[in-house]
Amino acid sequence: MSTTPGTLPEALAQRLADSGLRSTPQREIVYSVLLAKRDHPTADEVFARVKTDLPTISLATVYNCLETLVQCNLVRSVNFERGPTRYCPNLRPHAHFHDEQSGSTHDIDLPPELLEQVKHVLPAGYDAKSIEITFRGKAQPGAR
Amino acid sequence: MSTTPGTLPEALAQRLADSGLRSTPQREIVYSVLLAKRDHPTADEVFARVKTDLPTISLATVYNCLETLVQCNLVRSVNFERGPTRYCPNLRPHAHFHDEQSGSTHDIDLPPELLEQVKHVLPAGYDAKSIEITFRGKAQPGAR
DNA sequence: AGTGAGAATTGGAATTATTCCAAGGAATTT
DNA sequence: AAATTCCTTGGAATAATTCCAATTCTCACT
């Protein structure tokens, strides 16, 4: 009664309903495609994979479904920030804080020992040349 | 003898020369624009600012100069990875390791306590809803 | 079962960000 | 100063994403 084949779509339906949204074949298949091969596909790649099951789906729908899944916290988008690349000349080790209200980005200094600790989470065989840490949230207007 | 007005362009010239590149007015002004206002401007914004000093510069040159400065390690690009956004359904706290050779992206599990530590670098007034950590480098083919 | 309202999908056009390319200009080497 | 190489320019091309109007679907209510 709990591991029937219908379970996954139902869990998805529940999550969508929590956000006042509907479960649709398109959303289910997009989600299942992401679960089936966890290689961080692009929207275009998802589009290609979904089409084998649902040849009539449109790219716009794939974008819509992905956006929906991200908003329901079922999926994360890896390039968190859409839009143009930004540049900074601060070369000291620092993270970025992206203030969602104002859209501005602040530098956050990072103690070198923290960076070391972060590096230590890498399993053997991984050699990181750079680490990028980005926070998103609210910054009090007072904070710079 | 060391803080003359010519110092900054010369330092830039030195760095460029180290990479076998030339110092040009365009590169100097693009760099000075980045130093003058550290608000992580986009290429378009840099373009607009540079034009006040150098009205004939082209957008392509701004992109070229920014790329050059990034390659000389004088500037960092904040959206490290160009190209399409990628999606992953892994909701556990994890970082991403981007293998530059293969172009593939691996999930790296993050212990919750590390995330806490990372959060603690935020000064008062900053409230982070999410943290994104991305490594770039080489992964041994053996590593998954 | 039928209807109306709201939600979702579709295809295509539009926009945005970035890259490419060919031609001209400037600096460096011979 | 000729040759070579590097750089800049403008415009075209491409890639990623968003927008939009029309249609279709779904749900709730009769």
Side-chain angles (χ1 to χ4, degrees), chain A residues 97 108 135, chain B residues 117-128 131:
Chain A
F97 188 97
I108 306 287
F135 301 90
Chain B
Q117 277 189 305
V118 170
K119 253 187 194 169
H120 284 353
V121 306
L122 286 175
Y126 288 94
D127 182 25
I131 308 180

Side-chain angles (χ1 to χ4, degrees), chain A residues 22-23 25 43-44 59-60 63-64 67 82:
Chain A
R22 292 178 190 158
S23 187
D44 256 341
L59 178 59
Y63 272 106
N64 290 340
E67 168 82 6
R82 315 208 202 175

Side-chain angles (χ1 to χ4, degrees), chain A residues 16 22 26 44 60 81 88 90 109 136:
Chain A
L16 289 165
R22 292 178 190 158
Q26 287 84 352
D44 256 341
E81 200 189 340
C88 79
N90 176 357
D109 275 326
R136 271 200 303 173

Side-chain angles (χ1 to χ4, degrees), chain B residues 41-85:
Chain B
T42 65
D44 256 341
E45 288 164 350
V46 172
F47 182 47
R49 294 175 199 178
V50 169
K51 273 208 279 198
T52 69
D53 279 342
L54 202 65
T56 64
I57 198 171
S58 78
L59 179 57
T61 300
V62 171
Y63 273 104
N64 290 341
C65 291
L66 289 170
E67 168 84 7
T68 300
L69 293 173
V70 168
Q71 285 184 344
C72 295
N73 283 318
L74 284 164
V75 165
R76 298 205 312 187
S77 76
V78 174
N79 268 11
F80 74 102
E81 199 191 341
R82 314 209 200 174
T85 300

